[in-house]
């Protein structure tokens, strides 16, 4: 019998500051509706000095252990998915291991493939457990990033930052994954990149959207073929994609999830033998169904709209937002997930929401995590952007959060704020 494996619990860490997206629009002389309804944004996370990728990853992992009562001696693997690490060689995971005093016997490493890096880590951990190699241990996978395009760029309103830590185990209270049914699609493209030494990403924005949609189509079709063969979805009654209770997408900005969902529906409508809509135009119209988007996607986007892009963590913020609001309602139902990393790689996978999902999500206390943030005016955001999160923090770290406090010679030193 195949082992049941997947996500047991999660924790979220977000930067302590944010800007209101309408303030940013006004400062850039842009109609606020472009950022709110055009991109789907509400707020954008802004990192403090000292709030680098290590600090965010360590804060999320420490929170996961504390909130969910994880026994550190049971952790056999720690993977950090990131594309904004702090060294070309020493992994973020090694810092997290040291800061949290996790077992020296465990396996630690970082995974990188743009925003797909976290999913690469999740799949490595899942397959490690499914193979039996985990031998009763659990894995922690942290997706952590700071998304930066720079001041006055088209990507500026889609910046953000944060971390989501996932506890992966043989007790998948949040989401039992359908191991082995994943669909993948990879293509060698230059849609988004960050040359060595640059802090800000470079992006061919509109082209990146078309790469995302093309890779999604390949990954979704790959998953669908296996899911139909396994009897999880059918070509009868409704379209296969409609048989998933919800679909969480990689969310570089919220409007992208709407475009992604239209593309997924188009794949089903184009491939259905007895297509309900004969002409390509009619299929496009059906694919855009607002009712389908509202029913299957909209409820996952609450956190993304308030935090912005978190690269590797964006999909898992969507999952967190979905289960935060609908964990109880979705118990025992199958959902789909689409991960995308520029460069590029997409993976579609699925899983069944656990009966204890709502209880596990309540412990993650996401409302408090967001409520503790401070809104900053645009001048302060611009000052912080110029300073960068690499400048060590001089104030004491907030309770339960890590901060970079000093760079002594080559060594980065971190401290955790008192009781959470
Ligand atoms: N009121 C309402 N809506 C308005 C508006 C107004 N006044 N003005 C414009 N809009 C709408 C536009 O119609 C458009 O909507 P549609 O896409 O539905 O047509 C939307 O607002 C955006 O307008 P533009 O396309 O003109 O915006 P832009 O060219 O200035 O920039 C962007 C948009 C290309 C996404 C840019 O923000 C960007 O480069 N972002 C970063 C790249 C990115 O996120 N790519 C996504 C795929 S790659 C990926 O997923 C990996 C990753 O994480 C980066």
């Amino acid at each position: 019998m195949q082992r049941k494996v997947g996500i047991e619990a999660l924790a979220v860490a977000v930067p302590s500051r944010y800007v209101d997206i309408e303030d940013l629009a006004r400062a850039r002389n842009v109609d606020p509706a472009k950022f709110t309804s055009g991109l789907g944004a509400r707020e954008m996370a802004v990192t403090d000095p000292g709030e680098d990728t290590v600090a965010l990853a360590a804060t999320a992992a420490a929170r996961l252990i504390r909130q969910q009562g994880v026994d550190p001696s049971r952790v056999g693997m720690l993977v950090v998915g990131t594309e904004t690490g702090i060294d070309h060689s020493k992994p973020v995971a090694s810092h997290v291991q040291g800061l949290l005093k996790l077992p020296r016997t465990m396996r630690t490493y970082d995974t990188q493939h743009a925003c797909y890096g976290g999913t690469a880590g999740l799949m490595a951990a899942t397959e490690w457990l499914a193979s039996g190699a985990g031998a009763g241990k659990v894995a922690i996978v942290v997706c952590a990033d700071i998304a930066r395009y720079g001041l006055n760029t088209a990507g500026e309103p889609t910046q953000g930052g944060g971390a989501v830590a996932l506890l992966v185990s043989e007790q998948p209270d949040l989401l039992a994954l359908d191991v082995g049914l994943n669909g993948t699609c990879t293509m060698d493209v230059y849609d988004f990149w960050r040359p060595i030494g640059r802090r800000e990403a470079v992006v061919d924005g509109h082209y990146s959207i078309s790469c995302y949609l093309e890779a999604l189509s390949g990954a979704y079709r790959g998953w669908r073929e296996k899911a139909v063969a396994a009897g999880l979805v059918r070509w009868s009654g409704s379209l296969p994609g409609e048989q998933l209770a919800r679909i969480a997408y990689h969310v570089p900005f919220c409007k992208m999830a709407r475009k992604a969902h239209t593309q997924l529906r188009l794949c089903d409508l184009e491939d259905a033998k007895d297509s309900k809509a004969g002409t390509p135009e009619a299929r496009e119209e059906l694919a855009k169904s607002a009712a389908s988007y509202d029913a299957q996607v909209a409820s996952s986007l609450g956190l993304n709209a308030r935090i912005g892009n978190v690269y590797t963590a964006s999909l898992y913020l969507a999952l967190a937002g979905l289960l935060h609001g609908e964990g109880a309602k979705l118990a025992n139902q199958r959902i789909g997930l689409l991960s995308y990393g520029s460069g590029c790689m997409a993976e579609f996978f699925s899983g069944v929401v656990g009966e204890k999902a709502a209880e596990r999500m309540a412990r993650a206390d996401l409302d408090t995590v967001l409520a503790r943030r401070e809104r900053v005016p645009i001048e302060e955001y611009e000052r912080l952007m110029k300073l960068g999160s690499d400048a060590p923090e001089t104030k004491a770290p907030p309770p339960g959060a890590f901060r970079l406090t000093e760079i002594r010679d080559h060594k980065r030193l971190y401290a955790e704020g008192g009781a959470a």
Side-chain angles (χ1 to χ4, degrees), residues 49 271 354 409:
D271 301 346
D409 301 326

Side-chain angles (χ1 to χ4, degrees), residues 4-272:
K4 212 173 157 191
V5 294
I7 305 171
E8 179 175 332
L10 62 77
V12 174
V14 291
S16 42
R17 317 274 186 100
Y18 71 93
V19 294
D20 186 283
I21 211 73
E22 297 198 27
D23 290 349
L24 181 65
R26 279 188 286 271
R28 300 289 174 259
N29 285 319
V30 170
D31 177 0
K34 175 174 175 183
F35 291 178
T36 53
S37 67
L39 296 174
R42 277 180 61 194
E43 294 162 359
M44 184 177 93
V46 179
T47 50
D48 251 0
E51 215 167 21
D52 68 358
T53 301
V54 169
L56 290 164
T59 302
R63 198 167 274 168
L64 178 75
I65 289 171
R66 202 168 41 237
Q67 289 174 332
Q68 306 289 341
V70 180
D71 172 0
S73 72
R74 286 195 63 215
V75 184
M77 181 173 183
L78 170 73
V79 188
V80 176
T82 184
E83 58 180 299
T84 52
I86 41 79
D87 190 280
H88 292 309
S89 179
K90 183 172 163 56
V92 174
S94 65
H95 285 279
V96 177
Q97 183 272 334
L99 291 170
L100 273 59
K101 300 183 179 54
L102 292 173
R104 289 171 60 157
T105 47
M106 72 180 181
R107 184 180 279 165
T108 56
Y109 58 95
D110 287 2
T111 42
Q112 187 196 327
H113 183 149
C115 306
Y116 171 74
T119 302
L122 172 62
M123 293 312 156
T126 300
E127 290 161 11
W128 174 67
L129 291 166
S131 73
K137 300 264 184 186
V138 300
I140 293 179
V141 177
V142 189
C143 309
D145 269 308
I146 298 168
R148 271 180 206 279
Y149 297 93
L151 302 174
N152 295 297
T153 59
E156 185 181 22
T158 70
Q159 297 176 138
V164 177
L166 307 170
L167 180 63
V168 187
S169 78
E170 294 181 46
Q171 191 194 317
D173 286 348
L174 282 191
L175 191 68
L177 294 172
D178 296 321
V179 179
L181 297 189
N182 305 26
T184 49
C185 178
T186 186
M187 305 182 293
D188 178 10
V189 293
Y190 260 96
D191 61 332
F192 166 108
W193 62 102
R194 191 164 64 89
I196 306 262
R198 264 192 77 122
R199 198 171 62 174
E200 281 86 21
V202 194
V203 63
D204 188 344
H206 292 277
Y207 177 57
S208 71
I209 293 174
S210 65
C211 292
Y212 177 129
L213 297 177
E214 189 178 340
L216 174 155
S217 303
Y220 172 65
R221 285 186 164 112
W223 171 84
R224 190 186 61 194
E225 192 180 335
K226 293 179 193 171
V228 168
L232 300 190
V233 292
R234 296 163 308 282
W235 274 112
S236 56
S238 54
L239 294 168
E242 290 171 343
Q243 292 156 34
L244 292 166
R246 301 285 183 277
I247 305 176
Y249 293 96
H250 168 60
V251 189
F253 54 94
C254 288
K255 181 73 148 312
M256 190 68 221
R258 188 184 283 274
K259 292 178 194 289
H261 192 59
T262 298
Q263 184 69 21
L264 182 142
R265 287 178 57 77
L266 203 53
C267 289
D268 276 353
L269 288 161
E270 280 172 354
D271 301 346

